[in-house]
């Protein structure tokens, strides 16, 4: 329906509604973290931050996002609002990408292309970032990903986007440099990101520093992140930092301290019900360190059948859990086979 056929007041109401829908869809994860809480027993010894248990329901979140974005896209089409349509497609594709990366990528590509045609620079920046993420999940070769990121960065610079607005893309480029063996180049790129005022990639910087300079140099920085997470009451930042604190101490030979940090991370996950934090990047180091430090109870915390963007990634997570459980039973040969199968199912190894 043409915008001119919609009464002016009705059109203003529709615009307000669709933008609210998109805003709510994009921030639903934050809403869930903040408000969907249950009060624990006040005698809980884990402290004031962990006296709250946040309930996370990914299926509910994806359903909400799908409904909200469908409404926003429909209203955008009625009022010929390119911003609503482009952002709606990108939001919907990103939400779908958690369980179906191929379909999600198609929608994100469509939304990003529309934003480029309409000159919606901020929307293009968001769309390109999510497009590259989903392309990586689907196993696109690194040279192609690198070329896509560099092309996107060039386009964004040409349209006046500052370094802060390109932090996520530059972080992904740093990961690619590291995978190619250029650790110094990856670390230099992260320093440029931090200089822009963004903290994107700070956990990755710990990994690089440990690989380049040894674990001791990372201990003080990880501890600083832990203190920041405690002050901010940020489980999503603090719990992985606990795991990183344990890993760098283990590598530095400070096993007793490492085990304490690791046991605390386990207890924090139990208190907050945030096992889904370890369905991705942190699952492998979390399980390997649990075995090395002889800290029990980790495999029980992991999401057994997590929603995955591809079937191969879901199977990779299942095989990793199987490897860990075989290790804990002392079946080392079986564990080695399961871990090898885990690696072959990851897209970055499948294309090597």
């Amino acid at each position: 329906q043409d915008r001119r056929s919609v009464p002016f007041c009705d059109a203003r109401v529709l615009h307000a509604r669709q933008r609210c829908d998109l805003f709510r869809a994009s921030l639903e994860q934050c809403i869930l973290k903040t408000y969907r809480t249950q009060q624990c027993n006040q005698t809980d010894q884990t402290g004031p931050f962990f006296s709250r248990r946040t309930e996370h329901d990914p299926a509910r979140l994806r359903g909400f996002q799908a409904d909200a974005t469908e409404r926003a896209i429909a209203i955008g089409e009625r009022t010929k609002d390119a911003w609503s349509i482009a952002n709606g497609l990108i939001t919907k594709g990103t939400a779908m990408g958690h369980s179906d990366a191929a379909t999600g990528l198609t929608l994100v590509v469509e939304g990003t292309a529309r934003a480029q045609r309409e000159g919606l620079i901020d929307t293009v920046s968001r769309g390109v970032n999510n497009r590259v993420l989903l392309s990586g999940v689907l196993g696109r070769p690194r040279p192609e990903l690198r070329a896509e990121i560099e092309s996107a960065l060039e386009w964004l610079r040409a349209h006046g986007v500052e370094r802060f607005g390109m932090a996520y893309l530059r972080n992904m480029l740093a990961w690619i440099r590291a995978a190619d063996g250029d650790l110094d180049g990856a670390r230099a790129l992260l320093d440029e990101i931090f200089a822009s005022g963004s903290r994107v990639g700070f956990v990755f910087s710990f990994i690089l520093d440990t690989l380049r300079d040894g674990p001791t140099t990372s201990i003080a920085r990880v501890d600083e992140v832990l203190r920041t997470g405690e002050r901010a009451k940020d489980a999503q930042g603090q719990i992985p930092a606990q795991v990183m604190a344990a890993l760098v101490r283990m590598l530095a030979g400070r096993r007793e301290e490492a085990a304490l940090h690791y046991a605390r991370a386990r207890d924090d996950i139990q208190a907050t019900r945030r096992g889904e934090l370890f369905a991705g990047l942190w699952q492998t180091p979390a399980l390997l360190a649990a075995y090395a430090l002889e800290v029990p109870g980790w495999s029980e915390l992991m999401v057994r059948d997590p929603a995955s963007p591809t079937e191969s990634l879901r199977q990779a997570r299942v095989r990793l859990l199987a490897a860990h459980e075989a290790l804990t039973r002392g079946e080392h040969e079986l564990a080695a086979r399961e871990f090898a199968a885990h690696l072959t199912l990851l897209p970055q190894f499948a294309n090597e």
Side-chain angles (χ1 to χ4, degrees):
Q1 185 174 358
D2 191 278
R3 181 196 295 263
R4 290 170 298 183
S5 66
V6 180
F8 177 76
C9 291
D10 289 349
R12 294 293 295 273
V13 170
L14 290 174
H15 275 119
R17 177 180 169 185
Q18 56 84 11
R19 299 220 173 191
C20 180
D21 281 339
L22 279 176
F23 183 72
R24 291 176 63 204
S26 298
L27 295 185
E28 176 68 4
Q29 185 71 53
C30 296
I31 294 170
L32 286 175
K33 289 179 186 177
T34 306
Y35 295 109
R36 299 192 69 229
T37 59
Q38 295 178 343
Q39 293 297 325
C40 295
N41 190 320
Q42 292 304 308
T43 61
D44 189 346
Q45 298 300 308
T46 54
F49 168 46
F50 295 110
S51 66
R52 295 184 305 172
R53 294 184 179 180
T54 306
E55 297 288 350
H56 292 264
D57 186 347
R60 175 185 178 274
L61 169 60
R62 287 192 294 272
F64 177 91
Q65 288 179 320
D67 292 343
T69 53
E70 285 289 354
R71 291 195 303 269
I73 292 169
I75 294 171
E77 289 174 344
R78 287 182 61 190
T79 58
K80 306 299 182 185
D81 185 354
W83 186 95
S84 303
I85 298 170
N87 277 281
L89 289 168
I90 293 169
T91 299
K92 181 179 179 181
T94 303
M96 292 186 66
H98 290 287
S99 56
D100 184 351
T103 300
L105 178 60
T106 299
L107 292 170
V108 170
V109 168
E110 181 183 351
T112 305
R114 181 145 192 165
Q116 280 188 295
R117 291 195 300 271
E118 299 291 340
L120 303 172
I121 297 170
D122 289 343
T123 303
V124 171
S125 179
R126 173 175 172 247
V128 168
N129 177 73
N130 294 1
R131 184 178 74 198
V132 172
L133 280 172
L134 291 173
S135 295
V137 165
L138 288 168
R140 192 172 180 186
R142 286 201 305 273
E144 294 182 15
L145 284 175
R146 186 189 308 108
E148 181 173 0
I149 293 172
E150 291 173 347
S151 175
L153 291 172
E154 182 179 354
W155 189 94
L156 292 170
R157 281 191 293 265
H159 288 78
V161 177
E162 300 291 338
R163 288 187 302 172
F164 185 88
M166 297 185 284
Y168 285 98
L169 282 173
R170 291 161 70 85
N171 178 56
M172 285 187 279
L173 187 58
W175 276 96
I176 291 174
R177 286 184 180 180
D180 288 337
D182 184 9
L183 300 185
D184 292 337
R187 191 62 176 85
L189 192 52
L190 291 179
D191 285 337
E192 293 177 12
I193 294 172
F194 303 150
S196 73
S198 173
R199 289 177 62 81
V200 172
F202 73 94
V203 173
F204 181 33
S205 71
F206 298 150
I207 298 172
L208 287 177
D209 289 346
T210 301
L211 290 172
R212 294 166 66 235
D213 308 318
T216 304
T217 60
S218 297
I219 290 176
R221 293 185 61 228
V222 174
D223 289 349
E224 178 185 355
V225 173
L226 277 175
R227 290 190 292 270
T228 301
E230 289 172 352
R231 291 195 299 269
K233 297 180 173 57
D234 175 22
Q236 188 165 347
Q238 186 184 3
I239 292 174
Q242 286 281 10
V243 175
M244 194 68 197
L247 288 172
V248 295
R249 282 171 167 79
M250 181 180 70
L251 293 172
R254 295 159 63 168
R255 291 180 59 87
E256 290 185 4
E257 294 178 27
L260 288 173
H261 275 285
Y262 215 59
R264 183 179 176 187
R266 177 199 59 201
D267 295 343
D268 291 347
I269 293 173
Q270 289 175 333
T272 57
R273 301 178 185 177
R274 293 301 303 274
E276 87 284 351
L277 286 174
F278 293 92
L281 172 65
W282 289 103
Q283 192 170 45
T284 300
L287 292 178
L288 292 177
Y291 175 74
L293 294 170
E294 300 179 344
V295 177
W298 269 89
S299 61
E300 290 80 3
L301 296 176
M302 300 297 175
V303 178
R304 287 291 164 183
D305 191 19
S308 297
T310 66
E311 177 59 22
S312 63
L313 281 178
R314 192 189 73 79
Q315 288 295 331
R317 293 167 182 172
V318 170
R319 302 304 284 270
L320 179 62
L321 282 169
H324 172 70
E325 290 167 351
L327 276 176
T328 60
R329 297 192 302 268
E331 300 177 24
H332 296 155
E333 291 185 2
L334 175 60
R337 291 196 298 272
E338 292 287 0
F339 190 71
H342 159 73
L343 291 178
T344 61
L345 289 163
L346 299 175
Q348 58 267 43
F349 288 93
N351 286 320
E352 292 297 326

